[in-house]
Amino acid sequence: MISIEERKDSMTVVSFDFDDTLAEYSSAGWDGYVLVCIPKFLDLLKEYYALGCKCIILTARTPQDKEVSEIERFLKDHDIEHMVSDIVFT
């Protein structure tokens, strides 16, 4: 029998790029752009999480970017912050 710790070590990791994969900017009228989800990839992240995969987000943004808080807000707004185990800055 495989222990829980061994299972965690052998967990499949699935990565998702943030910009233009999970989210994209859409024009929002007179005040500029808003960040919106791309449903097919959001659903895919949820499916992999349900299968027991470790889901991470990759981004070219830097930890110092003010836009990083957009990622965190996006995760909360779409109720997936508990599904993402890490944000990796590339």
Side-chain angles (χ1 to χ4, degrees):
M1 181 193 297
I2 297 175
S3 72
I4 292 174
E5 288 305 313
E6 289 173 320
R7 184 167 182 254
K8 284 182 183 177
D9 290 341
S10 65
M11 193 179 286
T12 299
V13 177
V14 181
S15 62
F16 293 86
D17 185 42
F18 185 73
D19 291 303
D20 297 323
T21 302
L22 287 176
E24 64 185 350
Y25 287 98
S26 175
S27 60
W30 65 270
D31 65 344
Y33 295 89
V34 294
L35 194 61
V36 297
C37 78
I38 300 175
K40 67 180 178 181
F41 292 111
L42 193 64
D43 291 343
L44 193 59
L45 183 145
K46 291 176 181 178
E47 288 178 33
Y48 277 114
Y49 178 79
L51 290 171
C53 296
K54 177 180 178 180
C55 297
I56 63 172
I57 290 178
L58 302 176
T59 183
R61 299 176 186 205
T62 66
Q64 294 78 26
D65 284 342
K66 64 179 181 173
E67 290 84 13
V68 169
S69 62
E70 281 187 314
I71 297 173
E72 294 163 350
R73 187 172 50 251
F74 177 89
L75 297 177
K76 288 179 184 172
D77 288 350
H78 292 89
D79 196 29
I80 59 170
E81 71 270 18
H82 64 283
M83 296 180 189
V84 175
S85 57
D86 200 7
I87 299 173
V88 178
F89 301 95
T90 61

